[in-house]
Amino acid sequence: CIGSAFIELTFNPLPMADAGNDTIADCDLGVMLMGTGNGILAWDPHPSIEDAENPFTIVRPTVTTTYTLVATLGNCTATDQVTIEADC
């Protein structure tokens, strides 16, 4: 007896996150975070972020701070970090 079976596989792209380069920010003026990638992009919440849901947002850290960008695509996530040195 000979049989056969078929399995359908779906390959989804992996999410990618790029938080940008580390930099220095004036405490009063701040600096713009410019996160890029695919999927839904958002920054981990932090008090010095103006809009964590926007990958392009202003931060005004008063101490050196590391921010994490999260890219979500389907059930998968990717992260990247950027460190902003506060120049107060």
Side-chain angles (χ1 to χ4, degrees):
C1 184
I2 298 176
S4 63
F6 294 96
I7 298 174
E8 184 176 323
L9 299 176
T10 303
F11 293 94
N12 294 319
L14 293 174
M16 293 182 300
D18 184 353
N21 296 322
D22 296 349
T23 192
I24 299 171
D26 179 276
C27 289
D28 294 324
L29 299 176
V31 68
M32 179 172 282
L33 297 181
M34 295 186 286
T36 59
N38 61 349
I40 298 169
L41 300 174
W43 296 95
D44 274 352
H46 190 279
S48 63
I49 294 180
E50 283 190 3
D51 182 4
E53 298 298 317
N54 187 342
F56 298 93
T57 190
I58 302 290
V59 295
R60 290 183 179 85
T62 56
V63 296
T64 299
T65 305
T66 299
Y67 299 94
T68 302
L69 179 67
V70 180
T72 303
L73 193 58
N75 293 328
C76 299
T77 60
T79 61
D80 191 34
Q81 294 183 321
V82 63
T83 298
I84 308 299
E85 182 182 333
D87 183 16
C88 300

